[in-house]
């Protein structure tokens, strides 16, 4: 099972230390760009009209997976599959991003990325609320640490 | 960028032809199982309490990606990144599944899988509505083909 980069992500975060805990933490979120290499640009046809996308990318700073660890904001050891931490056996990052527009053919303006500038892009999927949205899902041990989203009223 | 299986998915679908268009199509959805190989079971610690998970898996029937194709239920060519079709440059499947219980240590009972029995499992992530839920997202050309979900009233 081999992967190849289909593009590259451009973010303002140059080091791991600069990366936010998730893409919703910075408020307001910075504008980022998903660059798709020219050979894959035909695959973007009909992407207009989707307000949100799922981006998969390769967390290349991970050297050794850690199956159990104590998160910095917690006091108990947790399994890596009960977290979104990067040091996973297969270090694939996932973000649900807002897709604002094509900055150019093959360059997507997006918000809510959390990864280092230059991260390899693996896949773009359209976000489908009919199968991907579970707003009432329960968050287990992470409920106490949830990133709060502004309400519609607060955003106005 | 190399991947390794952390487990295997057990579904009632033995061939591609038997797979539903997505995991929400079968109604009621069959109970499936995500088996995690023993060396990775410690990573499941603290997974109790999450009602939904994101599973990533390897679509190993894909031989050649198709960047542009006409979906069977549509009459226009679409880019693969504007679809959830399997024949992607990196054939990583993604399902948001309901996590019902541990059938045994390392065996998760889940619903809403759409893949062939025996598919290699790559990653398990907790579903976090705070960053993953966008119930009002617009679905572009797929809006006309959305899988309808039963309302709470209809489910009772």
């Amino acid at each position: 099972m081999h992967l190849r980069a289909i593009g590259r992500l451009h973010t303002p975060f140059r080091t791991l230390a600069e990366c936010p805990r998730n893409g919703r933490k910075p408020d307001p979120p910075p504008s980022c760009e998903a660059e798709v290499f020219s050979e894959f640009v035909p695959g973007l046809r009909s992407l207009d009209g989707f307000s949100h996308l799922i981006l998969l990318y390769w967390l290349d700073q991970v050297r050794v997976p850690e199956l159990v660890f104590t998160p910095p904001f917690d006091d108990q050891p947790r399994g890596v599959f009960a977290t979104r931490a990067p040091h996973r056996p297969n270090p694939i990052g996932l973000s649900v991003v807002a897709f604002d527009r094509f900055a150019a053919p093959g360059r997507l303006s997006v918000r809510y990325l959390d990864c280092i500038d230059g991260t390899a892009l693996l896949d773009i999927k359209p976000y489908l609320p009919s199968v991907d949205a579970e707003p009432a899902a329960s968050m287990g041990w992470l409920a106490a640490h949830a990133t709060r989203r502004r309400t519609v009223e607060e955003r106005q």
Side-chain angles (χ1 to χ4, degrees), chain A:
Chain A
M1 300 187 281
H2 299 268
L3 300 171
R4 51 181 169 164
I6 63 160
R8 194 183 291 123
L9 298 175
H10 300 276
T11 75
F13 316 120
R14 284 159 307 168
T15 63
L16 270 189
E18 284 179 29
C19 291
R21 209 177 92 208
N22 65 58
R24 307 276 179 158
K25 272 281 178 201
D27 184 5
S31 184
C32 300
E33 252 184 38
E35 172 194 357
V36 175
F37 297 147
S38 56
E39 67 178 293
F40 299 106
V41 166
L44 298 172
R45 184 171 176 157
S46 301
L47 203 65
D48 297 285
F50 291 95
S51 62
H52 292 75
L53 304 172
I54 299 174
L55 302 188
L56 301 182
Y57 40 92
W58 187 251
L59 303 163
D60 70 352
Q61 309 276 313
V62 175
R63 293 287 167 266
V64 180
E66 261 186 283
L67 287 180
V68 179
F69 71 107
T70 301
F73 51 85
D74 193 51
D75 58 4
Q76 281 191 55
R78 308 292 182 180
V80 73
F81 301 126
T83 79
R84 298 287 276 259
H87 45 75
R88 325 179 74 79
N90 294 304
I92 299 171
L94 180 161
S95 286
V96 173
V97 299
F99 173 36
D100 292 325
R101 62 190 176 88
F102 278 101
R107 293 190 81 102
L108 291 65
S109 287
V110 299
R111 279 169 295 146
Y112 308 141
L113 278 176
D114 57 3
C115 58
I116 290 186
D117 187 42
T119 294
L121 177 64
L122 300 175
D123 200 8
I124 300 173
K125 298 183 193 291
Y127 185 91
L128 308 180
S130 52
V131 297
D132 299 319
E134 289 290 352
S138 59
M139 291 179 56
W141 75 273
L142 275 168
H145 308 282
T147 298
R148 189 169 162 273
R149 281 156 75 164
R150 286 205 267 180
T151 63
V152 172
E153 291 71 30
E154 285 170 320
R155 266 184 259 131
Q156 279 165 352

